[in-house]
């Protein structure tokens, strides 16, 4: 059979089955944007021909990574709010106040480039003005599962004294909610299905029960998932207890949110009992190892979630906290932080991390019929990784096969040579084919400098830890 | 004044003073292997001329990293012993038994390449047959501070039941000790001072008190440091208690080892009180964040050591555990693991990590007069980092300067473009100038495959967790 592309002679991790689906000396046949076959090089070369082949000897072929939770709209603030208390209020807020949607989009593009160059092929982006950011994904050719970040909170919330109940403004809520519906209308299943849209309620503390119920209603009507921060920080629990007299998980359960439609992000403050309840409800969990570790000094109960039978995956969150958006980084952090939390080196092995960055992420996001593993009929989203980089040395397949441990604990992202998304080679030999990377960077850098200049007075007024570090020559 | 090289128009982190010594738009003038001047681009261009200049606009110039603790001799086993119990006995040992010194040296070279390509310029290598490994450093042109790993333990120690006292063989001890002295004789201050040698007692549990005393004697005689694992694992404490009726730190203190000559590696099992005693004694500490986190699921008391006024630094340890040897990785892990341990995002800030990979490491290793910062009179060891990589986006210098946070939390190592060691450009545009990288990798890969084949029966007999994972298709 004639196909459009054959990638041949590779080590393959299909991520099918319960492990990693290793195939030594294998090939993948692609027709249009669909995987036609995955198998031994011998079988594929017998059954398929193509004018377009990629020799992947000494390379690894695997599904592209799925970054389940990323806010690319604030990437432009990478590194400005580090190692400090009041990260949001004193670190980010003085900058955020001055960010225009156009600048946010420019920063987002660099963030997408960063992820793409580290093997991410599907971005579950969750931010404001996703209608503008969606155009970045359209241009660069990456797969995206988008959600508008919706809340009812006025823009000047940063000035509210800590501990006071957030004021809700229904008109803000309606505007943002409508944006999420419009986003769905415009982009869901657009670009040959490469872009899809789900719902993005910011968190149970960030809007009235009425608006949450609207989300619930539309979730059912559109048959789609709700991407929502849940039990993220004591601040949220405090708000929910003050408002409803109970904790977040109880509140969500009583209102019918704990089910397979919910994608619960963080669960930082969930007790083991609450974690178990969420896991058993069928809701998915997104664990952001780097961001929660660095911003909060915490390890969320993801290990307990998995032990309770839940489906969980990894997300890189946002650049100003984490502060990189690289699934290699997340896989490493997830493994080591949970080993240390449980005082056990066997906990959270490399395979667990790898699955949570691929097939398990597809399950949580509801796209495992399309991506997350290499199998006949799935979308042709895959990456080719150079195994001849020192970070992969040595490559052994028998009796011990060390490719997966080295992928998770040693590789860093630059080993990814080629990315194929929806059957299209979007990156080849580390060069993005669809946009001008240097121009995107230069444009975003200019925007960042302009915001920093306009924010100066607010930054000085904030008297943050990081400002003091700069003044003392510590940065 | 005429100099041999000027690197100009860079952002510079000199790492002088108590912070990072930031110089915006600066230059470095190099004469021979020595830094002649560091300062503003304007001052340097006024005072110095050279036929050889490097334009480092939009780049960062800083001292090369110092990896304070690395065992390159076992890099050939990267990834073969992951996520398991009995890491040493069931994971490494079945392979180690079959390793020849020549194969160890081949693997070591790839490990050095890996570090070099991630900005390490000084390797404090600590392994057996360092006389052979030293030749790798000679060839590749990196700076090395070498120690022979000396113990009195027979090679078949892997077969000893857990909990039994190690048998000491004085003839083994003398052979290895003599190797350390010969190494000193042959290589100390060789290659224009690029190679230096210190003493390497394996650990207090690994040899008789008599041999430890010999080390002490020679340490004073040669006026050099003792690079030693201390309080590493409950196994060591158990051995020392059984043999001497006291814990490791008490034992070392009573025998006069707690002083500025001691470089204590790991301190995994040290109590806070013991940690404080070591810190106050003037001994240095090496913290191996990745290796101890991944192999043991632990975070050693390095934060307490620093709080007690001690001088501590970072090391990448060995590839089969960590399993990469990249100081970017260590800086990240050190910061996030300690934030999580102390439940405080302000703990272990980016500057702390960065200093511990540069100037503090130089202090611990006793080479801060030569390297670790950029200052007139120091050796010309520095790296040039591309700030136009997405991982560094955006570069802001005012009012918040985000270069250091992005260097520590976002950069991964591939951003290092050029490495200058002892005034020589050893890597240029990521190409190592001194050896054939691809040939070194191919040779080492061949050796690794040969060992894996020869070790097969021992690996199968070990019935390790990782072997079972391979059998079940999980790897």
């Amino acid at each position: 059979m004639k196909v459009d592309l054959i990638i041949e002679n590779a080590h393959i991790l299909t991520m099918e089955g319960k492990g990693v689906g290793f195939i030594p000396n294998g090939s993948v046949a692609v027709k249009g944007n669909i995987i036609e076959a995955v198998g031994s090089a011998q079988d594929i070369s017998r059954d398929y021909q193509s004018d377009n082949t990629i020799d992947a000897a000494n390379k690894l072929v695997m599904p592209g990574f799925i970054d389940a939770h990323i806010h690319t709209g604030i990437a432009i603030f990478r590194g400005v709010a580090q190692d400090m208390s009041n990260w949001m209020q004193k670190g980010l807020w003085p900058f955020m106040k001055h960010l225009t949607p156009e600048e946010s989009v420019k920063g987002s593009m660099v963030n997408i480039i960063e992820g793409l160059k580290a093997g991410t092929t599907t971005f579950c982006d969750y931010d404001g003005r996703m209608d503008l950011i969606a155009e970045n994904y359209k241009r660069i050719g990456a797969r995206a599962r988008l959600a508008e970040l919706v809340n009812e909170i006025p823009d000047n919330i940063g000035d509210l004294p800590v501990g006071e109940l957030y004021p809700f403004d229904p008109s803000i809520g309606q505007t943002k909610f409508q944006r999420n519906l419009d986003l769905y209308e415009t982009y869901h299943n657009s670009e040959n299905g490469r872009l899809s849209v789900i719902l993005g309620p910011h968190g149970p503390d960030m809007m009235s029960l009425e608006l949450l119920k609207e989300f619930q209603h539309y979730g059912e009507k559109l048959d789609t998932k709700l991407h929502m921060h849940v039990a993220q920080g004591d601040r949220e629990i405090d708000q929910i207890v003050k408002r409803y007299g109970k904790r977040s998980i109880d509140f969500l359960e009583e209102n019918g949110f704990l089910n397979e439609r919910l994608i619960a992000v963080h669960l930082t403050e969930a007790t083991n009992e609450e974690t178990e309840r969420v896991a058993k409800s069928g809701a998915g969990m997104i664990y952001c190892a780097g961001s929660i570790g660095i911003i909060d000094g915490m390890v969320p109960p993801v290990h307990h979630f998995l032990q309770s039978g839940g489906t969980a995956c990894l997300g890189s969150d946002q650049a100003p906290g984490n502060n990189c958006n690289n699934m290699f980084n997340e896989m490493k952090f997830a493994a080591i932080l949970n080993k240390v939390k449980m005082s056990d080196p066997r906990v959270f092995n490399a395979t667990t991390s790898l699955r949570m960055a691929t097939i398990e992420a597809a399950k949580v996001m509801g796209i495992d019929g399309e991506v997350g593993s290499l199998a006949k009929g799935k979308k042709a989203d895959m990456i080719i990784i150079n195994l001849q980089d020192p970070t992969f040395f040595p490559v052994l397949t028998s009796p011990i096969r060390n490719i997966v441990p080295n992928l998770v604990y040693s590789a860093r992202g630059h080993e990814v040579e080629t990315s194929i998304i929806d059957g299209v080679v979007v990156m080849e030999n580390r060069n993005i084919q669809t946009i001008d990377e240097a121009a995107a960077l230069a444009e975003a850098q200019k925007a960042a400098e302009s915001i920093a200049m306009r924010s100066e007075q607010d930054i000085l007024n904030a008297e943050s830890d990081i400002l003091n570090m700069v003044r003392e020559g510590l940065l």
Side-chain angles (χ1 to χ4, degrees), chain A residues 70-73 124-135 137 146-149 179 183 187:
Chain A
I70 180 170
H71 306 284
T72 67
C124 302
D125 206 341
Y126 182 36
D127 221 316
R129 297 310 302 267
M130 196 48 72
D131 53 333
L132 303 176
I133 291 175
E135 294 294 315
Y137 291 106
L146 309 168
E148 180 78 17
L149 189 76
R179 276 199 204 128
L183 188 75
Y187 290 101

Side-chain angles (χ1 to χ4, degrees), chain A residues 84 101 117 131 167 214 250 332 354 366 386 411 415 433 451:
Chain A
M84 58 191 293
K117 294 191 85 170
D131 53 333
E214 277 202 73
D250 288 336
K332 268 189 208 66
L354 183 58
N386 175 23
E415 301 88 347
Q433 307 293 301
I451 302 169

Side-chain angles (χ1 to χ4, degrees), chain A residues 176-207:
Chain A
K176 293 184 176 178
F177 183 64
Q178 193 55 48
R179 276 199 204 128
N180 203 159
L181 296 183
D182 292 348
L183 188 75
Y184 189 91
E185 191 64 31
T186 313
Y187 290 101
H188 188 61
N189 276 333
S190 68
E191 298 294 307
N192 202 23
R194 191 161 53 72
L195 306 190
S196 62
V197 176
I198 57 176
L199 299 173
H202 195 150
D205 56 329
M206 292 289 183
M207 67 191 71

Side-chain angles (χ1 to χ4, degrees), chain A residues 98-114:
Chain A
H98 300 275
L99 178 68
T100 67
E102 292 69 29
E103 290 167 334
S104 161
V105 170
K106 287 177 185 169
S108 155
M109 188 55 117
V110 180
N111 212 190
I112 298 166
I113 292 169
E114 178 197 4

Side-chain angles (χ1 to χ4, degrees), chain A residues 173-358:
Chain A
Q174 278 312 314
T175 305
K176 293 184 176 178
F177 183 64
Q178 193 55 48
R179 276 199 204 128
N180 203 159
L181 296 183
D182 292 348
L183 188 75
Y184 189 91
E185 191 64 31
T186 313
Y187 290 101
H188 188 61
N189 276 333
S190 68
E191 298 294 307
N192 202 23
R194 191 161 53 72
L195 306 190
S196 62
V197 176
I198 57 176
L199 299 173
H202 195 150
D205 56 329
M206 292 289 183
M207 67 191 71
S208 61
L209 180 54
E210 289 67 43
L211 185 52
L212 275 171
K213 286 279 180 189
E214 277 202 73
F215 270 109
Q216 194 170 41
H217 171 70
Y218 272 89
E220 283 162 24
K221 190 173 152 185
L222 303 172
D223 190 19
T224 192
K225 300 221 178 202
L226 273 57
H227 191 162
M228 176 155 68
H229 299 105
V230 175
Q232 73 157 332
D234 44 12
R235 217 176 25 141
E236 176 194 314
I237 305 290
D238 181 55
Q239 290 278 327
I240 297 283
V241 167
K242 280 192 176 128
R243 205 179 289 274
Y244 304 107
K246 59 197 68 162
R247 290 169 57 87
S248 299
I249 304 299
D250 288 336
F251 167 72
L252 289 171
E253 185 169 34
E254 284 177 29
N255 285 289
F257 284 91
L258 290 200
N259 54 51
E260 68 292 332
R261 224 177 269 300
L262 177 67
I263 302 169
V265 188
H266 298 325
L267 292 179
T268 325
E269 294 292 325
T271 63
N272 275 353
E273 184 277 322
E274 289 170 341
T275 301
E276 211 171 310
R277 241 190 299 157
V278 179
K280 289 190 192 306
S281 78
M285 173 182 180
I286 303 177
Y287 170 44
C288 299
S291 113
I292 299 298
I294 292 176
I295 303 171
D296 298 316
M298 295 175 81
V299 183
V302 62
H303 179 62
H304 194 69
F305 191 91
L306 293 172
Q307 296 296 102
S308 307
T311 306
C313 65
L314 304 178
S316 69
D317 216 348
Q318 28 61 40
N322 186 357
N323 45 352
C324 54
N325 299 91
N326 172 338
M327 298 309 289
F328 287 88
N329 198 55
E330 294 311 308
M331 291 193 295
K332 268 189 208 66
F333 275 163
I336 197 170
L337 288 169
N338 281 281
K339 287 176 195 306
V340 160
K341 182 177 185 180
M342 309 310 293
S343 304
D344 185 346
R346 293 167 304 176
V347 159
F348 228 102
N349 60 36
T351 303
T352 301
S353 269
L354 183 58
R355 288 185 62 89
M356 287 173 70
T358 52

Side-chain angles (χ1 to χ4, degrees), chain A residues 116 139-140 419 424-436:
Chain A
L116 192 59
R139 279 177 59 207
I140 203 166
S419 292
V424 176
V425 177
V426 173
M427 179 172 77
E428 189 171 13
N429 290 323
R430 296 202 61 65
N431 292 308
I432 295 177
Q433 307 293 301
T434 43
I435 61 149
D436 181 338

